[in-house]
Structure formats: structure tokens, C-alpha cells
Amino acid sequence: MAELPVLETPRDPALCSGRFTISTLLGGDEPPPPAAYDSSHPSHLTHGSTFYMRTFGYNTVDVVPAYEHYANSTLPGEPRKVRPTLADLHSFLKEGSHLHALAFDSRPSHEMTDGLVEDETGTNGEKNPEEPVRFGWVKGVMIRCMLNIWGVILYLRLPWITAQAGIVLTWIIILLSVTVTSITGLSISAISTNGKVKSGGTYFLISRSLGPELGGSIGLIFAFASAVGVAMHTVGFAETVKDLLQEYGSPIVDPTNDIRIIGVVTVTVLLAISLAGMEWESKAQVLFFLVIMVSFANYLVGTLIPPSEDKASKGFFSYRADIFAQNLVPDWRGMDGSFFRMFSIFFPSATGILAGANISGDLKDPAVAIPKGTLMAIFWTTISYLAISATIGSCVVRDASGILNDTVTPGSGACEGLACGYGWNFTECAQQHSCRYGLINHYQTMSMVSGFAPLITAGIFGATLSSALACLVSAAKVFQCLCIDQLYPLIGFFGKGYGKNNEPLRSYLLAYAIAVAFIIIAELNTIAPIISNFFLCSYTLINFSCFHASITNSPEVNWGSSVQAGSYNLALSYSVGLSEVEDHIKNYRPQCLVLTGPPNFRPALVDFVGTFTRNLSLMICGHVLIGPRKQRMPELRLIASGHTKWLNKRKIKAFYSDVIAEDLRSGVQILMQAAGLGRLKPNILVVGFKKNWQSAHPATVEDYIGILHDAFDFNYSVCVMRMREGLNISKVMQAHINPVFDPVEDGKEAGASGARPSVSGTVDPEALVQEEQASTIFQSEQGKKTIDIYWLFDDGGLTLLIPYLLGRKKRWNKCRTRVFVGGQINRLDQERKAIISLLSKFRLGFHEVHILPDINQKPRAEHTKRFEDMIAPFRLNDGFKDEATVTEMRRDCPWKISDEEINKNRIKSLRQVRLNEILLDYSRDAALVIITLPIGRKGKCPSSLYMAWLETLSQDLRPPVVLIRGNQENVLTFYCQ
């Protein structure tokens, strides 16, 4: 935690916009004089000082976790909160920066925020009139999917399919189709809930899961299939209108050309509705939905009404057991009479499940709306299909003439078929295959059965037009996203958007042109199988993308046989290819440089990092050999292979890297700059806690803290691990040790000589492999203990990410994770809900959140005295000395703590004491304790004082303690891109 250095300068509101970058902080400006950084002055308040004074007891630019730090945008009129950069916390603040300006913000506490703000929209809090229209899961997904599923096939082909395949096989066709769509719906849900889904729907999901190569190809297929779907539903509508014209004796030209003319006019009207914008299109969808529901009710009522003479002549006799029994089995007729032909014609009616995902960019919360709306739509439409197939198959015979005189009369000859039992003789037309009515001959059977035929006609109009409209919108949206990504040449023209919703007008015209081309076919049974093939390809790729994401691992690389050589070349190619991948939060991996020295000396540190990086990210064990290069080079070559073999024997997937340097700090600087390859480069420095810092030579402590500062300067995150029994087992092994990180227990020899200790000794590589492996806590089952995370300040989410990755491993997955956050007693519920909401968006599965309202309480007197006794040997005691003497003392002993520094940091020091009391109260029996690492400002916090903070914070705890500080950049996000 870095306290806020403030200047006695008036607040300039103009400086409040913008954000610090490392380049601006580390530029040529000279840092302000030390006197300007007196944050203990009572008049110096931070941007949220009222909040922080109540929570932590001192002013700080560090901020608590908040949703806004991870969001890419804010609501119109709302100020944007930003997290301070690592340079803001670690380096000198420039005079006149927005942090200093905010430091003098004198607004009342209820107006203050608990984060830095960037006002993106000005002071006008009124609603932006250009705010896009967004839809919820019912209106945006469920209704849209149901309308697309309830398309032309429901009214015009389901009765015919029932007659051809029989009720049993029709149910099998329906359930088989639903199985495909349900699995796909679950895959869509799994992918879409991984983050915020943008416009482009299916194409977006696949391209972001499998990459643009597969996503681009399937996106093109899907967009084309949607455009053909427009033609299919429009032809169904035109077919109904054609039948009405023929019924009233008013054809336009002839049946085929009538369908073409009506289809082109209809799709032109649908294009106009789409061009009017998403809001009008959504209102039209709701109207269509109501019409369809009324038509369903009308149909069901019609099946219960006793048949009139006209309906009976057309084969309707209400519910009859013998009709149901006869229609259970198939009666294949014509060229289309086969099971798979029926499946191919029916399947497009199930493809509407993607209608919601395809407009994901226009949904309020796609991650919730897509799975909820899609699965509910699948359920209700499946029920409706099964019900209609069973009811209409129980009421209507397959063949009927529609002639009122075809009744059974004495002397009319032999009568065959079920209709004979109800007084009707359809034998002649059935034998000659000339019947115009009946379930297998008349596509408009549902209209005939219904109580009021015009309502079914209205339902057909609603279903066909709504589905055509949804397909038109889907095709255009996917085309637009495909064009924006520029995966194919010469198609960028169609990606341009217009208006507040970025409407793809050019893509609409492209989809319209494709639809018109297929409307010219004018045959529904020909168009439907084409769409089935396209959509089955799309669904296969969607399911494969989910499957692929769940099982794939990176290849292991070695050298030797031709197969291994091929693996090497492949790995090399991929490594080079990774260099072309842009930096993004979604691509973040915790890649660790672990300062183990010889890895077998600190097995617990190796096991800890190896556990959460296994099969996930890069781990490098770093070792610095101190001494002249010529003297250490033979040893360097000798031990490298031995340490690598030791890691392999321990089943740790890590690299070993060593360097020779004059001192440890220089060697670590070399490692941090040179370790890794391209994108496979460490971004986290992991070190062990310097347990014997109080007895070690002060120069080694200065180096230790200097390494942490160097890590922050190189934009690394830092992880410090402490175990009660210590990390270094080299004394037990009677081998050389790394003196800076864990020197010999007494450290008296080194201290007396006044020089840094040196390293000596060699390690036999064969002995390393043959030695007995030391057991550590990270190799054993943890049972049902707890992993306690103290996320005190927002570091970008690394404090959460590492324990989450650890908790996914078999030995730790039974542990319960608890998150502790600082707060105020009068805001417990509010702050707890905010953190729970943020954690739920990250999908980490952390549900147990505790707010600590007592951080700001005074620690117990004996604990305070223990801290004062701890730092007493490191005090400069300069209170009564002149400035020249103090300067001389400081130059010789930079690790010493002046009286001014003790007074200035007194409150912050007491907070570490108090936090340790809280840790002992809450986490004494935890399996692992994770704490946000406090930051000491470089050049302002002596190394001995900073070590005293770390010692005090983590002392007396039985479980391992890991202090983590990210580099203040997001490593967690709830966005897909």
C-alpha cells in the first residue's frame, strides 16, 4: 500500500482528466523535493480520503477492488473509475498530475468516489439520446428464437411429415432435431457465458473460441444459410398467399410465378422493416408472437369442435382412436418419401436457436440472456411440435376428396379406409392417388382443422414473416462482423454500419440479394434440405469449438527422433506465431520467473508455482551464480542438466535458467530482462521470504528489497512466499545456499566481516536426480480446509487469479475459498454485495465474501511494542543531529530508518500490525493465506522498514502465506474481446 504524497498546490480541475502512464511518470521532469511529500499533514486529503481514512486509517492512492476497474465503458453521464498504475504507487508522482489535483478535491464525502476518475462524458448527467436499444432475455432471445423455430415448417409441412412418417417416426425426427439443437444450445451457452459477447453471434463465438480460420469459414456458411433461410420462409408465406388467390379464383399468372412475385415483394417489405432499425424490428416480432399464440389456441379449439360436413369431406373427424392408430406408422409416398428426406425438410424448423445469439451485440446482458432464452425456447417449441403432431394425427385421415357427395350410400360399391366407418367413401381418389385433401395431400390441413381458418392464415403469416425477418437480421449481422474482421479480401465494403445501433445496411442488401436468388426456385421442399446441410455444419463447428476448448493442451517439445524433431519445428513455428498475437487480457497467462536458486533447495517454492502453472503457463526456475565468469562457467554447464532432470523427476513442467553475475541483484536483473522467448516471457517474479533478514548483513536486505523494486520497474508482478519452517532446505542437504534469500541461520560470520557472503560448492547432476525428493505441503491433499484471500487493494486481479488456478487442481479442489475485503461497519451489506457481484462476473466461483470493518482499529499494545522493538536496531536516531551528520549517516547506511520516516509511516505501520491480528483471528487454520502485497515507495521507504512490514504482516501464521501484487493492469475480465 503506497501512501499518497501530496503537494501544497491548488487543485486544477483541468488536470483531473487523463491517466498516468509510465512514460509520463519516468520522463525528464525532476521529482519534487522530499518535503513536498508530507502526507501526514491533516489537511491533505486524497480523492477518496474520507473513505480510506475510515477504512484503513491513512491516505493512499491504492484503491479497493471495484467493478469499474474492469469495465471497458461506463453509463452515459457517469464518471469512469480507473486503478492507479504501478508507477503511481511505486515511483515519484509528478507535480500537477491528476492524482495531486484529486488530492485537493474538497467535495463532501457523499460525492467522493473510491477510485480515480476519468470523466468521459462531461458533467451532463442526462441520458444520452443516442444510447443504443438493448433487449432482455425474453424479448431479445426467447421470443426471437421461438418465432424463428415456429416458422413455415410448423404450419405447412409438419402435418404432411406426420402423414408420411407416422406419429412415432415424426416424434423421433423432432426429438433427434431437438437433441442436436439442445447440445448446440448448451455449447452456445458455455461459450457465450465466458464473457461479454459482441455483435456477430455464432461467427463471433466460434472465431473467438477456435480462431478466425475456422470461425471465418463457418461464419460465411452460417450467414449464407441464414440468407437462404429468408428465402425458405418467404416462399412458405408466398405459397399460402398463392393458395388463397387460387381459392378465390384470382391467380396472378400461374402457381410457380405467383410464388416468385409474391416472394420478391414480401422480402422487399421485410428489408424495409429491417432498415427501419432494431427497435421497429423487435416490436414487429412481439406482434407476430401474439398472432401465433392466438392461432395455436384457435387450432386446439378446432380439434375439439365436432366436424362439419365440409370438414368431414376433407378428412377431419375430430379425435378418433383408430385414426391415431393408423397414423402411428409411416406411409411413404412420392420422391420425398423417406425418413432422412423428412428429417432434412423438418430440421430447418429447429435452427432458430441461434436467433438470439446472432444479435448478441443488441442484448443488455448476452451472457445471461443467450443461455436462458435459448434453452427455454427449445423446451416450449419442442412441446408444441410434439403436441401438434400427435393431435393432428389423431383427427385427420391421410386421404380425402373434399367432395360433399362422396358419402357412403347403398350400392356405391366397395368402401376402403377408416372414413367408411364415419359415412364417407374416399376409395376412388385414394386408389387413383388423386385426392386433393387429407393429411398427406393438403399442406393447409391445420387451417382446415382450426375453429376459424383466417386465424391460422394469420399465424402462418406471422410465423413465416417473423422467421424470415429474424434470418434477414441474423445474416446481415454475421456478414457485418465477418467483413469488419477482414478475413476475406474485397468484402470490407459490406461491414460499414450506420446509426446509433451500427446497423449493417450494406449487409442487409447483400442478404436480400441472396434471398431473392433462392426465392426464384419457388419450391419449399427443395430449399429446406439445402439449409439443413448448412446449419448442421454450423452446429458441428459450434459443438466442436466447445469440445476443443475443454480438452486441448499445449504440445510437449523435445529433440531426438524425427517425431520429436517435428514437434520441435511445430513448437518453434507456434512460438513465432504467438508474436503476432496482440496483448489482451483474455490472452493473459501467469508466467513465472521463480528465484529458486538450485530448485532442489527450495522444493516448496517450486511445488507451489508448478501447481498452478501446470498445463497452463510458463514457469522458469532462475538461479544466479555469483562470481567471476571464467571461474563459474564450468559449474554453469555442469549443473544445468542436473536441475532440469530434477524438475522432470518431480513432474514439474518448468524451465531452468541460470546466469553468472557479480552480485545477485545484477543477475536477477539479467534474468528478468532476458528470460523467456517472444510471448513466452515471464510477467511474475516469485521469491521466497527472507526469513533471517534481521540477522543478515544489511547489504543483503538492501539487495533483496532492491530486487522487488527492480521487478516493479520492469513491469513485473511480484509474489513473495513465506512458510513458518522456512523454504531453504539446503542446510539439511549440506550443500551451498543462496545467501541473499535465506542465509545460514545465525548469519554472524557474514555480518562481522561487513561484506556480502559468497557462494561456493558444486552440485553433481547425477546426485541431484538420485537424491530422495523432499515432500512439501503442496504435494499433499488439503481436504476441506480454506484458502483465504485478503484482497485488500485492487492490483488488477492477480491476487484472485493465482488462488483460483490453484483451487482447480486435484489436491486443492475440495478447499473452500474465502475472500476478505476491507470495509466500513456502516456499509457492510453494500460493499459485500458489490464484491460478490464483481466476483460473479469473473466466474471464479468465489461465493464466500467477508468484509473486515475492523482494519482501522488500534492494534494491541504488546503487538505494537513488538514492532517497535523489531525496527529499533535499524533506526537512525537522528532527531537531535544536524543535517550534515544525518546526510553522512544516511549515505553509509541507506537501510536505516529516520525519525521522520517512522513518524510519517506510523499509521501505515500500525495497520500491518492490526492486519496480522486479523489474520491470526480468521486464518489460523487455513490451508493457504493469500494477501495483497503492500508497496513501499522507491526511495521513500527504507528496506528495513519495508521488511519489518512484511515480517509483521505474515508472522506467527501456521499456513503458508503468499503476498501477491499485480502490476496494476487487469488480468481478469468479463469481456469476450
Side-chain angles (χ1 to χ4, degrees):
M1 290 172 281
E3 67 275 19
L4 177 64
V6 292
L7 297 174
E8 295 288 351
T9 56
R11 182 178 184 272
D12 183 1
L15 297 174
C16 290
S17 61
R19 180 177 182 175
F20 266 131
T21 61
I22 291 179
S23 59
T24 58
L25 285 166
L26 302 182
D29 295 346
E30 288 294 321
Y37 291 90
D38 183 12
S39 64
S40 62
H41 195 283
S43 66
H44 293 175
L45 298 176
T46 70
H47 51 279
S49 61
T50 303
F51 175 84
Y52 286 108
M53 285 296 288
R54 288 198 301 264
T55 305
F56 298 103
Y58 62 95
N59 300 333
T60 174
V61 299
D62 226 341
V63 296
V64 296
Y67 167 89
E68 290 82 355
H69 300 157
Y70 299 86
N72 289 346
S73 59
T74 60
L75 293 175
E78 291 291 329
R80 180 179 179 184
K81 297 180 182 179
V82 295
R83 184 190 305 113
T85 64
L86 185 61
D88 293 337
L89 298 172
H90 183 239
S91 303
F92 290 104
L93 293 177
K94 288 174 59 179
E95 183 174 359
S97 73
H98 75 286
L99 283 175
H100 283 289
L102 287 169
F104 293 92
D105 190 349
S106 58
R107 290 175 295 170
S109 61
H110 69 274
E111 294 179 356
M112 294 184 180
T113 63
D114 55 356
L116 308 180
V117 297
E118 286 182 351
D119 192 352
E120 294 182 335
T121 57
T123 58
N124 184 8
E126 296 180 1
K127 183 179 179 181
N128 189 344
E130 292 298 308
E131 184 179 355
V133 178
R134 303 295 184 195
F135 308 118
W137 73 272
V138 175
K139 189 176 179 181
V141 181
M142 189 183 78
I143 291 179
R144 188 178 299 274
C145 287
M146 292 175 75
L147 287 173
N148 214 16
I149 294 171
W150 285 333
V152 60
I153 302 297
L154 170 66
Y155 289 98
L156 300 183
R157 291 298 183 271
L158 184 57
W160 175 72
I161 292 173
T162 303
Q164 287 268 9
I167 296 174
V168 173
L169 288 184
T170 300
W171 276 37
I172 292 176
I173 289 171
I174 294 171
L175 294 176
L176 187 60
S177 300
V178 168
T179 300
V180 174
T181 57
S182 296
I183 294 172
T184 308
L186 292 173
S187 297
I188 292 169
S189 301
I191 299 172
S192 65
T193 54
N194 273 335
K196 288 198 173 182
V197 185
K198 297 186 178 179
S199 182
T202 308
Y203 161 72
F204 185 90
L205 296 178
I206 297 176
S207 64
R208 272 49 175 182
S209 296
L210 289 183
E213 297 83 5
L214 282 175
S217 59
I218 203 64
L220 197 62
I221 293 173
F222 182 81
F224 184 81
S226 296
V228 178
V230 178
M232 183 189 74
H233 294 293
T234 304
V235 167
F237 170 83
E239 188 175 289
T240 304
V241 176
K242 180 261 299 181
D243 289 342
L244 290 174
L245 292 176
Q246 286 186 336
E247 183 179 344
Y248 290 98
S250 304
I252 302 174
V253 184
D254 57 69
T256 301
N257 285 318
D258 285 0
I259 291 176
R260 292 169 178 163
I261 294 170
I262 296 168
V264 171
V265 172
T266 302
V267 79
T268 304
V269 173
L270 293 178
L271 175 65
I273 294 175
S274 299
L275 295 179
M278 286 298 296
E279 191 169 8
W280 282 100
E281 186 263 350
S282 178
K283 290 177 180 177
Q285 295 279 22
V286 173
L287 177 62
F288 289 148
F289 182 81
L290 294 176
V291 170
I292 291 173
M293 295 307 294
V294 171
S295 73
F296 280 172
N298 176 50
Y299 161 75
L300 292 174
V301 170
T303 61
L304 299 172
I305 298 175
S308 65
E309 190 170 302
D310 179 69
K311 287 186 177 181
S313 70
K314 296 178 181 178
F316 172 64
F317 299 102
S318 194
Y319 291 100
R320 305 285 181 175
D322 50 354
I323 295 178
F324 176 78
Q326 186 184 61
N327 286 336
L328 278 176
V329 295
D331 183 10
W332 307 115
R333 299 186 191 177
M335 294 179 60
D336 294 327
S338 68
F339 177 86
F340 287 104
R341 184 66 176 179
M342 292 299 110
F343 176 83
S344 66
I345 292 173
F346 175 82
F347 188 78
S349 66
T351 59
I353 62 166
L354 298 179
N358 288 334
I359 62 157
S360 52
D362 298 300
L363 300 175
K364 291 178 182 176
D365 189 355
V368 174
I370 291 174
K372 192 173 182 180
T374 301
L375 295 177
M376 287 300 292
I378 291 173
F379 174 79
W380 289 116
T381 53
T382 302
I383 297 298
S384 67
Y385 277 136
L386 295 174
I388 290 173
S389 176
T391 54
I392 204 161
S394 305
C395 299
V396 185
V397 295
R398 283 190 169 100
D399 294 295
S401 64
I403 301 173
L404 295 177
N405 292 330
D406 281 351
T407 56
V408 177
T409 59
S412 59
C415 184
E416 298 177 1
L418 293 178
C420 298
Y422 308 121
W424 292 86
N425 186 356
F426 304 139
T427 307
E428 182 179 353
C429 76
Q431 291 176 347
Q432 296 177 1
H433 301 292
S434 60
C435 295
R436 294 179 54 205
Y437 294 93
L439 202 57
I440 205 166
N441 302 304
H442 188 42
Y443 290 147
Q444 302 283 352
T445 302
M446 281 187 67
S447 178
M448 181 268 292
V449 170
S450 66
F452 185 60
L455 287 180
I456 293 296
T457 302
I460 295 173
F461 287 179
T464 54
L465 294 178
S466 65
S467 297
L469 192 57
C471 286
L472 183 61
V473 172
S474 298
K477 292 284 185 179
V478 176
F479 270 133
Q480 182 186 37
C481 193
L482 196 66
C483 295
I484 289 175
D485 283 353
Q486 297 182 343
L487 297 178
Y488 298 98
L490 307 177
I491 66 170
F493 171 83
F494 296 102
K496 183 175 176 58
Y498 297 86
K500 62 182 180 182
N501 270 17
N502 196 34
E503 294 290 345
L505 302 187
R506 296 176 180 176
S507 293
Y508 276 128
L509 294 175
L510 178 61
Y512 170 81
I514 296 172
V516 169
F518 277 85
I519 287 172
I520 302 303
I521 296 175
E523 178 53 54
L524 189 61
N525 290 357
T526 302
I527 300 174
I530 298 174
I531 298 174
S532 294
N533 290 327
F534 282 126
F535 277 111
L536 284 170
C537 289
S538 298
Y539 291 177
T540 301
L541 263 293
I542 292 172
N543 293 320
F544 176 73
S545 67
C546 195
F547 171 77
H548 184 272
S550 65
I551 67 160
T552 51
N553 288 313
S554 300
E556 296 181 4
V557 181
N558 204 336
W559 184 266
S561 67
S562 59
V563 174
Q564 291 171 330
S567 298
Y568 172 83
N569 291 332
L570 189 63
L572 183 62
S573 175
Y574 283 159
S575 298
V576 174
L578 280 176
S579 301
E580 301 175 5
V581 178
E582 296 182 3
D583 285 327
H584 192 273
I585 306 167
K586 296 290 287 190
N587 301 327
Y588 178 83
R589 302 278 175 130
Q591 304 187 123
C592 300
L593 172 61
V594 191
L595 298 187
T596 58
N600 59 317
F601 284 4
R602 296 175 178 83
L605 194 61
V606 171
D607 290 341
F608 166 65
V609 179
T611 300
F612 69 80
T613 58
R614 184 179 180 84
N615 296 330
L616 179 75
S617 59
L618 175 70
M619 174 182 173
I620 298 178
C621 294
H623 181 195
V624 178
L625 288 87
I626 301 173
R629 183 174 62 85
K630 290 184 180 180
Q631 176 184 338
R632 305 311 299 269
M633 186 61 72
E635 180 183 353
L636 184 73
R637 293 171 179 169
L638 176 67
I639 66 174
S641 62
H643 289 311
T644 300
K645 291 178 180 178
W646 182 88
L647 290 169
N648 292 336
K649 182 181 178 182
R650 202 171 180 86
K651 298 182 179 179
I652 299 293
K653 294 188 176 182
F655 296 97
Y656 171 80
S657 180
D658 46 19
V659 295
I660 298 174
E662 293 298 323
D663 58 77
L664 184 103
R665 185 174 181 183
S666 300
V668 174
Q669 289 174 345
I670 295 171
L671 279 173
M672 285 192 287
Q673 294 178 82
L677 180 67
R679 294 289 183 184
L680 298 174
K681 189 173 180 64
N683 48 33
I684 302 175
L685 180 70
V686 183
V687 301
F689 180 75
K690 188 171 177 59
K691 183 179 178 183
N692 293 20
W693 66 275
Q694 298 177 71
S695 58
H697 189 277
T700 64
V701 179
E702 191 77 7
D703 272 358
Y704 179 85
I705 299 301
I707 288 171
L708 302 186
H709 287 310
D710 293 340
F712 288 133
D713 287 339
F714 290 128
N715 206 35
Y716 272 62
S717 303
V718 170
C719 180
V720 180
M721 182 178 174
R722 179 177 188 178
M723 296 184 67
R724 191 170 189 175
E725 62 274 16
L727 293 169
N728 196 328
I729 63 171
S730 59
K731 187 176 182 180
V732 178
M733 299 169 61
Q734 297 180 348
H736 73 275
I737 63 168
N738 187 327
V740 174
F741 285 94
D742 230 345
V744 286
E745 290 298 324
D746 55 14
K748 292 177 182 176
E749 271 187 49
S753 66
R756 291 179 173 87
S758 61
V759 176
S760 62
T762 60
V763 176
D764 180 5
E766 294 302 323
L768 277 176
V769 179
Q770 294 174 6
E771 74 181 25
E772 183 179 351
Q773 295 276 346
S775 177
T776 69
I777 186 175
F778 298 99
Q779 292 180 316
S780 58
E781 293 285 343
Q782 298 303 309
K784 297 184 179 181
K785 299 179 183 178
T786 63
I787 299 175
D788 290 351
I789 306 172
Y790 289 81
W791 197 23
L792 302 178
F793 292 102
D794 197 340
D795 62 344
L798 189 65
T799 306
L800 295 176
L801 180 61
I802 288 180
Y804 165 72
L805 296 175
L806 190 69
R808 295 175 62 194
K809 303 304 179 180
K810 183 178 179 181
R811 295 188 178 98
W812 293 82
N813 60 11
K814 294 181 181 178
C815 290
R816 192 173 85 254
T817 302
R818 302 189 297 178
V819 179
F820 297 84
V821 181
Q824 302 171 28
I825 195 167
N826 60 337
R827 298 179 55 187
L828 288 182
D829 289 341
Q830 178 183 348
E831 292 174 357
R832 184 173 180 275
K833 288 178 181 177
I835 294 298
I836 289 176
S837 175
L838 179 59
L839 294 178
S840 68
K841 293 181 183 298
F842 290 146
R843 301 182 70 220
L844 298 175
F846 298 163
H847 305 296
E848 188 172 344
V849 175
H850 299 269
I851 304 298
L852 303 173
D854 51 353
I855 291 181
N856 197 29
Q857 293 181 6
K858 288 185 178 180
R860 293 162 59 182
E862 59 269 27
H863 294 160
T864 303
K865 185 177 185 305
R866 182 172 64 173
F867 176 80
E868 292 173 348
D869 293 342
M870 183 188 301
I871 64 173
F874 303 98
R875 293 189 61 167
L876 201 57
N877 296 317
D878 58 333
F880 300 100
K881 296 182 175 62
D882 59 79
E883 186 175 347
T885 304
V886 171
T887 303
E888 183 68 22
M889 294 169 64
R890 172 68 77 187
R891 184 171 62 251
D892 294 337
C893 304
W895 52 82
K896 291 279 189 178
I897 313 169
S898 68
D899 292 350
E900 179 187 2
E901 289 165 340
I902 289 177
N903 293 332
K904 179 180 177 181
N905 294 286
R906 179 173 178 77
I907 297 177
K908 187 172 182 179
S909 299
L910 293 179
R911 290 293 69 75
Q912 313 309 317
V913 180
R914 176 58 189 152
L915 283 171
N916 180 253
E917 294 176 351
I918 292 173
L919 290 170
L920 290 172
D921 288 340
Y922 287 97
S923 303
R924 189 182 299 271
D925 298 321
L928 181 68
V929 178
I930 309 286
I931 315 172
T932 305
L933 175 72
I935 290 184
R937 194 173 293 279
K938 184 172 62 175
K940 290 298 168 184
C941 181
S943 59
S944 53
L945 178 60
Y946 187 53
M947 282 302 305
W949 286 350
L950 302 186
E951 172 75 31
T952 300
L953 183 60
S954 58
Q955 66 187 354
D956 297 335
L957 287 167
R958 183 198 61 78
V961 179
V962 182
L963 302 166
I964 299 175
R965 172 64 76 153
N967 64 357
Q968 300 303 113
E969 296 177 4
N970 289 351
V971 300
L972 294 174
T973 183
F974 33 77
Y975 294 95
C976 265
Q977 187 180 29

